[in-house]
mmCIF file of all heavy atoms in Angstrom:
data_model
loop_
_atom_site.group_PDB
_atom_site.id
_atom_site.type_symbol
_atom_site.label_atom_id
_atom_site.label_comp_id
_atom_site.label_asym_id
_atom_site.label_seq_id
_atom_site.Cartn_x
_atom_site.Cartn_y
_atom_site.Cartn_z
ATOM 1 N N ILE A 3 85.498 53.849 91.896
ATOM 2 C CA ILE A 3 85.015 54.061 93.256
ATOM 3 C C ILE A 3 83.517 54.239 93.152
ATOM 4 O O ILE A 3 83.029 55.128 92.457
ATOM 5 C CB ILE A 3 85.671 55.297 93.901
ATOM 6 C CG1 ILE A 3 87.182 55.100 93.978
ATOM 7 C CG2 ILE A 3 85.065 55.551 95.295
ATOM 8 C CD1 ILE A 3 87.939 56.296 94.504
ATOM 9 N N PRO A 24 79.328 45.373 68.882
ATOM 10 C CA PRO A 24 78.843 43.991 68.879
ATOM 11 C C PRO A 24 79.949 43.020 69.330
ATOM 12 O O PRO A 24 81.135 43.274 69.124
ATOM 13 C CB PRO A 24 78.448 43.738 67.424
ATOM 14 C CG PRO A 24 79.255 44.699 66.628
ATOM 15 C CD PRO A 24 79.507 45.889 67.519
ATOM 16 N N LEU A 40 83.508 44.949 81.965
ATOM 17 C CA LEU A 40 82.911 46.266 81.771
ATOM 18 C C LEU A 40 82.388 46.275 80.348
ATOM 19 O O LEU A 40 83.163 46.169 79.410
ATOM 20 C CB LEU A 40 83.952 47.377 81.984
ATOM 21 C CG LEU A 40 84.460 47.543 83.405
ATOM 22 C CD1 LEU A 40 85.619 48.545 83.450
ATOM 23 C CD2 LEU A 40 83.344 47.987 84.338
ATOM 24 N N SER A 42 80.427 47.972 77.187
ATOM 25 C CA SER A 42 80.111 49.272 76.611
ATOM 26 C C SER A 42 79.539 49.075 75.198
ATOM 27 O O SER A 42 79.771 48.057 74.567
ATOM 28 C CB SER A 42 81.368 50.140 76.530
ATOM 29 O OG SER A 42 81.889 50.395 77.810
ATOM 30 N N ASN A 44 76.029 49.463 72.555
ATOM 31 C CA ASN A 44 74.569 49.374 72.574
ATOM 32 C C ASN A 44 74.141 48.033 73.136
ATOM 33 O O ASN A 44 74.656 46.991 72.732
ATOM 34 C CB ASN A 44 73.996 49.533 71.166
ATOM 35 C CG ASN A 44 74.233 50.923 70.621
ATOM 36 O OD1 ASN A 44 74.088 51.916 71.340
ATOM 37 N ND2 ASN A 44 74.578 51.020 69.363
ATOM 38 N N GLU A 62 58.017 33.263 64.411
ATOM 39 C CA GLU A 62 57.114 33.538 63.283
ATOM 40 C C GLU A 62 57.862 33.969 62.027
ATOM 41 O O GLU A 62 57.389 33.760 60.923
ATOM 42 C CB GLU A 62 56.102 34.630 63.669
ATOM 43 C CG GLU A 62 55.087 34.164 64.695
ATOM 44 C CD GLU A 62 54.293 35.318 65.287
ATOM 45 O OE1 GLU A 62 54.495 36.483 64.872
ATOM 46 O OE2 GLU A 62 53.480 35.050 66.194
ATOM 47 N N GLY A 89 65.672 54.293 87.176
ATOM 48 C CA GLY A 89 66.912 53.559 86.913
ATOM 49 C C GLY A 89 66.664 52.181 86.340
ATOM 50 O O GLY A 89 65.555 51.812 86.002
ATOM 51 N N THR A 93 66.495 41.931 86.755
ATOM 52 C CA THR A 93 65.432 41.140 87.381
ATOM 53 C C THR A 93 65.883 39.686 87.376
ATOM 54 O O THR A 93 66.884 39.329 86.753
ATOM 55 C CB THR A 93 64.100 41.312 86.637
ATOM 56 O OG1 THR A 93 63.048 40.737 87.428
ATOM 57 C CG2 THR A 93 64.112 40.665 85.254
ATOM 58 N N GLU A 101 63.695 32.983 81.084
ATOM 59 C CA GLU A 101 64.622 31.871 80.781
ATOM 60 C C GLU A 101 64.212 31.117 79.515
ATOM 61 O O GLU A 101 65.075 30.704 78.735
ATOM 62 C CB GLU A 101 64.724 30.903 81.959
ATOM 63 C CG GLU A 101 65.797 29.863 81.741
ATOM 64 C CD GLU A 101 66.171 29.068 82.980
ATOM 65 O OE1 GLU A 101 65.640 29.317 84.071
ATOM 66 O OE2 GLU A 101 67.022 28.187 82.840
ATOM 67 N N ALA A 110 69.519 33.546 67.729
ATOM 68 C CA ALA A 110 69.364 34.717 66.837
ATOM 69 C C ALA A 110 70.567 35.657 66.908
ATOM 70 O O ALA A 110 70.592 36.654 66.206
ATOM 71 C CB ALA A 110 68.080 35.474 67.197
ATOM 72 N N GLY A 111 71.555 35.350 67.761
ATOM 73 C CA GLY A 111 72.779 36.134 67.766
ATOM 74 C C GLY A 111 73.135 36.831 69.064
ATOM 75 O O GLY A 111 74.197 37.431 69.175
ATOM 76 N N ALA A 144 71.535 52.628 91.046
ATOM 77 C CA ALA A 144 72.239 53.901 90.835
ATOM 78 C C ALA A 144 73.519 53.695 90.035
ATOM 79 O O ALA A 144 73.827 54.477 89.134
ATOM 80 C CB ALA A 144 72.559 54.552 92.184
ATOM 81 N N VAL A 171 75.476 52.341 76.530
ATOM 82 C CA VAL A 171 76.047 52.257 77.869
ATOM 83 C C VAL A 171 77.564 52.374 77.829
ATOM 84 O O VAL A 171 78.199 52.094 76.813
ATOM 85 C CB VAL A 171 75.647 50.931 78.578
ATOM 86 C CG1 VAL A 171 74.136 50.822 78.701
ATOM 87 C CG2 VAL A 171 76.219 49.721 77.866
#
Side-chain angles (χ1 to χ4, degrees):
I3 300 176
L40 292 172
S42 298
N44 293 319
E62 290 167 3
T93 192
E101 188 167 358
V171 300

